[in-house]
Amino acid sequence: GAVVSQHPSRVICKSGTSVKIECRSLDFQATTMFWYRQFPKQSLMLMATSNEGSKATYEQGVEKDKFLINHASLTLSTLTVTSAHPEDSSFYICSATSVFGSGTRLTVV
Amino acid sequence: QQQVKQSPQSLIVQKGGISIINCAYENTAFDYFPWYQQFPGKGPALLIAIRPDVSEKKEGRFTISFNKSAKQFSLHIMDSQPGDSATYFCAATRGYSGGSNYKLTFGKGTLLTVNP
């Protein structure tokens, strides 16, 4: 079946630095990928829609300058959390079609 | 405005029992309704999904019942096992056409605990 690979699974970074998260569709092409954020014991919140070869579409309230999305190929989308702060600590998950990646636990210290 | 309402928030079932989770939606344009299972620290995994042209879909111990007129759908887990203990999310999306659009709206989730 279709597989979405997400990397890294865990990352700890210092406040003020940037972190990049990769999302790859392993055996299929995805012109559209989605990025979600999930707080503990809460549901998934859609952050943005990543479109191959064009700008991402951000949901209301999501800072596009803080959460940079690049979808340079049909199998790879990246989310960069810029100038990270402790409040950015969360579980970030990507998806392509109905398949989700395994998530990235970001901790900003 | 929450477009997909899920209940209950938590559910405790004995091993071998039936787990039932309900969802209601508001947007009649939704045309694809998946259920996801999520274990702690992992991404959601697709369990089963249904389209509004059928009223029921069964895959193993998992069954979706769909009531289009009431705008409700539910997940039934038969013969529940301790390994089924996880958080379950219902979701909905519109514009489904062969997998080209999966912008999902999620319910708030149900924490299922199956006691041995």
Side-chain angles (χ1 to χ4, degrees):
Chain A
V3 176
V4 172
S5 175
Q6 190 171 341
H7 180 80
S9 58
R10 289 177 174 272
V11 59
I12 301 173
C13 71
K14 291 185 177 180
S15 186
T17 62
S18 296
V19 174
K20 180 184 287 187
I21 303 170
E22 293 187 348
C23 181
R24 296 180 184 272
S25 54
L26 292 188
D27 48 3
F28 65 102
Q29 294 181 334
T31 56
T32 302
M33 292 186 178
F34 300 95
W35 287 95
Y36 295 83
R37 183 173 181 176
Q38 186 178 33
F39 290 105
K41 299 187 178 182
Q42 293 191 21
S43 188
L44 287 79
M45 181 188 76
L46 180 66
M47 297 175 64
T49 302
S50 174
N51 303 299
E52 187 270 335
S54 64
K55 291 183 178 180
T57 303
Y58 291 83
E59 296 298 302
Q60 188 175 8
V62 177
E63 298 178 60
K64 59 182 180 182
D65 293 331
K66 165 167 276 294
F67 299 100
L68 299 180
I69 291 173
N70 184 280
H71 196 152
S73 78
L74 287 171
T75 59
L76 174 64
S77 175
T78 61
L79 169 68
T80 301
V81 183
T82 64
S83 185
H85 289 106
E87 57 264 33
D88 298 325
S89 298
S90 190
F91 193 53
Y92 293 88
I93 315 171
C94 68
S95 73
T97 66
S98 60
V99 182
F100 282 78
S102 55
T104 297
R105 170 72 59 194
L106 170 63
T107 303
V108 184
V109 297
Chain B
Q1 182 184 11
Q2 184 186 356
Q3 294 191 52
V4 179
K5 294 183 179 181
Q6 183 172 346
S7 63
Q9 191 172 10
S10 62
L11 179 62
I12 300 174
V13 175
Q14 291 298 118
K15 178 182 177 181
I18 303 174
S19 303
I20 301 174
I21 305 171
N22 301 299
C23 283
Y25 63 97
E26 298 167 4
N27 189 343
T28 55
F30 286 147
D31 57 7
Y32 180 71
F33 303 87
W35 283 90
Y36 287 88
Q37 177 189 59
Q38 186 179 31
F39 292 104
K42 303 295 184 182
L46 179 64
L47 261 182
I48 187 173
I50 197 168
R51 297 193 65 185
D53 51 350
V54 297
S55 60
E56 185 175 283
K57 183 175 181 180
K58 183 176 181 180
E59 289 185 1
R61 296 185 294 110
F62 301 94
T63 300
I64 298 180
S65 296
F66 188 85
N67 186 327
K68 188 175 181 178
S69 61
K71 294 187 286 186
Q72 295 175 348
F73 57 111
S74 60
L75 174 70
H76 295 233
I77 305 174
M78 312 299 289
D79 187 26
S80 299
Q81 299 296 312
D84 297 331
S85 297
T87 299
Y88 293 80
F89 293 96
C90 62
T93 188
R94 63 176 180 173
Y96 173 81
S97 55
S100 64
N101 186 339
Y102 281 87
K103 184 177 180 179
L104 295 164
T105 297
F106 281 88
K108 290 192 172 183
T110 297
L111 177 62
L112 172 65
T113 302
V114 181
N115 289 327

